[in-house]
Amino acid sequence: MSKKWYVLHTYSGYENKVKTNLEIRVETMGLENNVFAIEIPTEMVTEIKEGGRRVESEKKVFPGYVLVRMELDDRSWAAVRNTPGVTGFVGSDGKPAPLTRDEYNKIMKRTSHEAPKKTSTTLEVGQTIKVVSGPLAEFDGVISEVAPESGKVKVMVSIFGRETPVELSFDQVARI
């Protein structure tokens, strides 16, 4: 038998509880030689709140899923499967399917500190905004493009009676 990563499906919002319950079960059932690690992949996301305020928070990469590194046998399968909050293993025909090394690496790369941070915003194309800082402060404009990965918006601003595209960061604009 070899140690492999498996994906558990859990009730949404119960990921942390499942991890805690599973850690307790592994200890009380003496499965330390079968279950080696339990991970809930997360990533840092910067949200732009009203008024351009930036709030960093940790979000689950796959809500409703937990990764478990284990040697799969009848005893470890039953212990994990019957943990409160676990609805089952991910796999086909009811059989748990282990992640490939490549799949695991891709998942964990998203959670590393080197991974590019994601930015989420409520700004949308077509929305009217006011520029709140920079050389164009107090100008109004209409969003023509939103780029969450770079934290920028392209805004059509009327300068001297002409529509001019301007690239601004999320924190330089506010919804009207």
Side-chain angles (χ1 to χ4, degrees), residues 83-129:
T83 299
V86 173
T87 58
F89 281 89
V90 172
S92 57
D93 301 326
K95 285 189 183 147
L99 290 173
T100 65
R101 170 61 57 201
D102 196 38
E103 289 168 329
Y104 175 77
N105 288 341
K106 276 185 187 159
I107 291 169
M108 296 319 282
K109 187 175 179 197
R110 276 184 72 174
T111 69
S112 75
H113 296 294
E114 295 83 53
K117 289 188 173 43
K118 287 212 164 52
T119 304
S120 83
T121 181
T122 55
L123 298 172
E124 297 172 0
V125 171
Q127 209 169 39
T128 303
I129 56 89

Coordinates of all heavy atoms in Angstrom, one line a residue, residues 83-129:
T83 N -16.8 9.8 9.3 CA -16.5 11.0 10.1 C -17.7 12.0 9.8 O -18.1 12.2 8.7 CB -15.2 11.7 9.6 OG1 -14.1 10.8 9.8 CG2 -14.9 13.0 10.3
P84 N -18.2 12.5 10.9 CA -19.4 13.5 10.8 C -19.0 14.6 9.8 O -17.9 15.2 9.9 CB -19.6 14.0 12.2 CG -19.0 12.9 13.1 CD -17.9 12.3 12.3
G85 N -19.9 14.9 8.9 CA -19.7 16.0 7.9 C -19.2 15.5 6.6 O -19.2 16.2 5.6
V86 N -18.6 14.3 6.6 CA -18.1 13.7 5.3 C -19.2 13.1 4.6 O -19.9 12.2 5.1 CB -16.9 12.7 5.6 CG1 -16.5 12.0 4.3 CG2 -15.7 13.4 6.2
T87 N -19.4 13.5 3.3 CA -20.5 12.8 2.5 C -19.9 11.7 1.6 O -20.6 11.0 1.0 CB -21.2 13.9 1.6 OG1 -20.3 14.5 0.8 CG2 -21.9 14.9 2.5
G88 N -18.6 11.7 1.4 CA -18.0 10.6 0.7 C -16.6 11.0 0.1 O -16.2 12.1 0.2
F89 N -16.0 10.0 -0.6 CA -14.8 10.3 -1.3 C -15.1 10.7 -2.7 O -16.1 10.3 -3.3 CB -14.0 9.0 -1.4 CG -13.2 8.6 -0.1 CD1 -13.8 7.9 0.8 CD2 -11.9 9.0 0.0 CE1 -13.1 7.5 2.0 CE2 -11.2 8.7 1.2 CZ -11.8 7.9 2.2
V90 N -14.2 11.4 -3.4 CA -14.4 11.8 -4.8 C -13.8 10.6 -5.6 O -12.6 10.2 -5.3 CB -13.7 13.1 -5.1 CG1 -13.7 13.3 -6.6 CG2 -14.4 14.2 -4.4
G91 N -14.5 10.1 -6.5 CA -14.0 9.0 -7.3 C -15.2 8.5 -8.2 O -16.3 9.0 -8.1
S92 N -15.0 7.5 -9.0 CA -16.0 6.9 -9.8 C -16.5 5.6 -9.3 O -15.7 4.8 -8.7 CB -15.6 6.8 -11.3 OG -14.5 6.0 -11.4
D93 N -17.7 5.3 -9.5 CA -18.3 4.0 -9.1 C -18.2 3.7 -7.6 O -18.0 2.6 -7.2 CB -17.7 2.8 -9.9 CG -17.9 2.9 -11.4 OD1 -18.9 3.5 -11.8 OD2 -17.0 2.5 -12.1
G94 N -18.2 4.8 -6.8 CA -18.1 4.7 -5.4 C -16.7 4.3 -4.9 O -16.5 4.1 -3.7
K95 N -15.7 4.3 -5.8 CA -14.4 4.0 -5.3 C -13.6 5.3 -5.2 O -13.6 6.1 -6.1 CB -13.7 3.1 -6.4 CG -14.1 1.6 -6.4 CD -13.2 0.8 -7.3 CE -13.7 -0.6 -7.3 NZ -13.5 -1.2 -8.6
P96 N -12.9 5.4 -4.1 CA -12.0 6.6 -4.0 C -10.9 6.7 -5.0 O -10.3 5.7 -5.2 CB -11.4 6.5 -2.6 CG -12.3 5.5 -1.9 CD -12.8 4.6 -2.9
A97 N -10.8 7.8 -5.7 CA -9.7 7.9 -6.7 C -8.7 8.9 -6.2 O -8.9 10.0 -5.8 CB -10.3 8.5 -8.0
P98 N -7.4 8.4 -6.1 CA -6.3 9.2 -5.6 C -6.0 10.3 -6.6 O -6.1 10.2 -7.8 CB -5.2 8.3 -5.4 CG -5.4 7.1 -6.3 CD -6.9 7.0 -6.4
L99 N -5.5 11.5 -6.1 CA -5.0 12.5 -6.9 C -3.7 12.1 -7.5 O -2.9 11.4 -6.8 CB -4.8 13.8 -6.1 CG -6.0 14.5 -5.6 CD1 -5.5 15.7 -4.6 CD2 -6.8 15.1 -6.7
T100 N -3.4 12.5 -8.7 CA -2.1 12.3 -9.3 C -1.1 13.3 -8.6 O -1.6 14.3 -8.1 CB -2.0 12.5 -10.8 OG1 -2.3 13.9 -11.1 CG2 -3.0 11.6 -11.5
R101 N 0.2 13.1 -8.7 CA 1.1 14.0 -8.1 C 0.9 15.4 -8.7 O 1.0 16.4 -8.1 CB 2.5 13.5 -8.3 CG 3.7 14.4 -8.0 CD 3.9 14.9 -6.6 NE 4.0 13.9 -5.6 CZ 3.7 14.2 -4.3 NH1 3.3 15.4 -4.0 NH2 3.8 13.3 -3.4
D102 N 0.7 15.4 -10.1 CA 0.5 16.7 -10.8 C -0.7 17.4 -10.3 O -0.7 18.7 -10.1 CB 0.4 16.3 -12.3 CG 0.6 17.5 -13.2 OD1 1.5 18.4 -12.8 OD2 -0.1 17.6 -14.2
E103 N -1.8 16.7 -10.1 CA -3.0 17.4 -9.6 C -2.8 18.0 -8.2 O -3.2 19.1 -8.0 CB -4.2 16.4 -9.5 CG -4.7 15.9 -10.9 CD -5.6 14.7 -10.8 OE1 -5.5 13.9 -9.9 OE2 -6.6 14.6 -11.6
Y104 N -2.2 17.2 -7.4 CA -1.9 17.7 -6.0 C -1.0 18.9 -6.1 O -1.3 19.9 -5.4 CB -1.2 16.6 -5.2 CG -0.8 17.1 -3.8 CD1 -1.8 17.3 -2.8 CD2 0.5 17.4 -3.5 CE1 -1.4 17.8 -1.6 CE2 0.9 17.9 -2.3 CZ -0.1 18.1 -1.3 OH 0.3 18.6 -0.1
N105 N 0.0 18.9 -6.9 CA 1.0 20.0 -7.0 C 0.2 21.3 -7.5 O 0.5 22.4 -7.0 CB 2.1 19.7 -7.9 CG 3.1 18.7 -7.2 OD1 3.1 18.6 -6.0 ND2 3.9 18.1 -8.0
K106 N -0.7 21.1 -8.5 CA -1.4 22.3 -9.0 C -2.3 22.9 -7.9 O -2.4 24.1 -7.8 CB -2.3 21.8 -10.2 CG -1.6 21.8 -11.5 CD -2.6 21.5 -12.6 CE -1.8 21.3 -13.9 NZ -2.5 20.5 -14.9
I107 N -3.0 22.0 -7.1 CA -3.8 22.5 -6.0 C -3.0 23.3 -5.0 O -3.3 24.4 -4.6 CB -4.6 21.4 -5.4 CG1 -5.6 20.8 -6.3 CG2 -5.2 21.8 -4.1 CD1 -6.2 19.5 -5.9
M108 N -1.9 22.7 -4.6 CA -1.1 23.3 -3.5 C -0.3 24.5 -4.0 O 0.0 25.4 -3.3 CB -0.1 22.3 -2.9 CG -0.8 21.1 -2.2 SD -2.2 21.6 -1.2 CE -1.5 22.2 0.2
K109 N -0.1 24.6 -5.3 CA 0.6 25.8 -5.9 C -0.3 27.0 -5.7 O 0.2 28.1 -5.4 CB 0.9 25.6 -7.4 CG 1.8 26.7 -8.0 CD 2.1 26.4 -9.4 CE 2.9 27.5 -9.9 NZ 3.0 27.5 -11.4
R110 N -1.6 26.8 -5.8 CA -2.6 28.0 -5.6 C -2.6 28.4 -4.2 O -2.9 29.6 -3.9 CB -4.0 27.5 -6.0 CG -4.3 27.6 -7.4 CD -5.7 27.2 -7.7 NE -6.7 28.2 -7.3 CZ -8.0 28.2 -7.6 NH1 -8.4 27.1 -8.2 NH2 -8.8 29.1 -7.2
T111 N -2.2 27.6 -3.3 CA -2.3 27.9 -1.9 C -1.0 28.5 -1.3 O -0.9 29.0 -0.2 CB -2.7 26.7 -1.0 OG1 -1.6 25.8 -1.0 CG2 -3.9 26.0 -1.5
S112 N 0.1 28.4 -2.1 CA 1.4 28.8 -1.6 C 1.5 30.4 -1.5 O 0.7 31.1 -2.2 CB 2.5 28.3 -2.5 OG 2.6 29.1 -3.7
H113 N 2.4 30.9 -0.7 CA 2.5 32.3 -0.6 C 3.1 33.0 -1.8 O 3.0 34.2 -2.0 CB 3.5 32.6 0.6 CG 2.9 32.1 1.9 ND1 1.7 32.7 2.4 CD2 3.2 31.1 2.8 CE1 1.4 32.0 3.6 NE2 2.3 31.1 3.8
E114 N 3.7 32.2 -2.7 CA 4.2 32.7 -4.0 C 3.1 32.9 -5.0 O 3.3 33.5 -6.0 CB 5.3 31.9 -4.6 CG 6.6 31.8 -3.7 CD 6.5 30.7 -2.6 OE1 6.2 29.6 -2.9 OE2 6.7 31.1 -1.5
A115 N 2.0 32.2 -4.8 CA 0.9 32.3 -5.8 C 0.4 33.7 -5.9 O 0.3 34.4 -4.9 CB -0.3 31.4 -5.3
P116 N 0.1 34.2 -7.1 CA -0.4 35.5 -7.3 C -1.7 35.7 -6.5 O -2.6 34.8 -6.5 CB -0.6 35.7 -8.8 CG -0.7 34.3 -9.3 CD 0.1 33.4 -8.4
K117 N -1.9 36.8 -5.8 CA -3.1 37.0 -5.0 C -4.2 37.4 -6.0 O -4.1 38.1 -7.0 CB -2.8 38.2 -4.0 CG -1.9 37.8 -2.9 CD -1.9 38.8 -1.9 CE -1.1 38.5 -0.6 NZ 0.1 37.8 -0.8
K118 N -5.4 36.9 -5.6 CA -6.6 37.2 -6.4 C -7.2 38.5 -5.8 O -7.1 38.7 -4.6 CB -7.6 36.0 -6.4 CG -7.1 34.8 -7.2 CD -8.4 34.1 -7.7 CE -8.1 33.2 -8.8 NZ -7.1 32.2 -8.6
T119 N -7.9 39.2 -6.7 CA -8.6 40.4 -6.2 C -10.1 40.2 -6.6 O -10.3 39.9 -7.8 CB -8.0 41.7 -6.8 OG1 -6.6 41.7 -6.5 CG2 -8.7 42.9 -6.3
S120 N -11.0 40.5 -5.7 CA -12.4 40.4 -6.1 C -13.0 41.8 -5.9 O -12.6 42.5 -5.0 CB -13.1 39.3 -5.3 OG -13.5 39.8 -4.1
T121 N -13.9 42.1 -6.7 CA -14.6 43.4 -6.6 C -16.0 43.3 -7.1 O -16.4 42.4 -7.8 CB -13.8 44.4 -7.5 OG1 -14.4 45.7 -7.4 CG2 -13.8 44.0 -9.0
T122 N -16.8 44.3 -6.7 CA -18.2 44.4 -7.2 C -18.3 45.3 -8.3 O -19.4 45.6 -8.8 CB -19.1 44.9 -6.0 OG1 -18.6 46.1 -5.5 CG2 -19.1 43.9 -4.9
L123 N -17.2 45.9 -8.8 CA -17.2 46.8 -10.0 C -17.6 46.0 -11.2 O -17.1 44.9 -11.4 CB -15.9 47.5 -10.1 CG -15.4 48.4 -9.0 CD1 -14.0 48.9 -9.2 CD2 -16.4 49.6 -8.8
E124 N -18.4 46.6 -12.1 CA -18.8 45.9 -13.3 C -18.8 46.8 -14.5 O -18.9 48.1 -14.4 CB -20.3 45.5 -13.2 CG -20.5 44.4 -12.1 CD -22.0 44.2 -11.8 OE1 -22.9 44.8 -12.5 OE2 -22.3 43.4 -11.0
V125 N -18.6 46.2 -15.7 CA -18.6 47.0 -16.9 C -19.9 47.7 -17.1 O -21.0 47.1 -16.8 CB -18.4 46.1 -18.1 CG1 -18.6 46.8 -19.4 CG2 -17.0 45.5 -18.1
G126 N -19.9 49.0 -17.5 CA -21.1 49.8 -17.7 C -21.5 50.6 -16.4 O -22.4 51.5 -16.5
Q127 N -20.8 50.4 -15.3 CA -21.1 51.1 -14.1 C -20.5 52.5 -14.1 O -19.4 52.7 -14.6 CB -20.5 50.3 -12.9 CG -21.2 50.3 -11.6 CD -20.6 49.3 -10.7 OE1 -19.4 49.1 -10.6 NE2 -21.5 48.7 -9.9
T128 N -21.3 53.4 -13.6 CA -20.8 54.8 -13.4 C -20.0 54.9 -12.1 O -20.5 54.5 -11.1 CB -21.9 55.8 -13.5 OG1 -22.7 55.6 -14.7 CG2 -21.4 57.2 -13.5
I129 N -18.8 55.5 -12.2 CA -18.0 55.7 -11.0 C -17.5 57.1 -10.9 O -17.6 57.9 -11.9 CB -16.8 54.7 -11.1 CG1 -15.9 54.9 -12.4 CG2 -17.2 53.3 -11.0 CD1 -14.8 55.9 -12.3

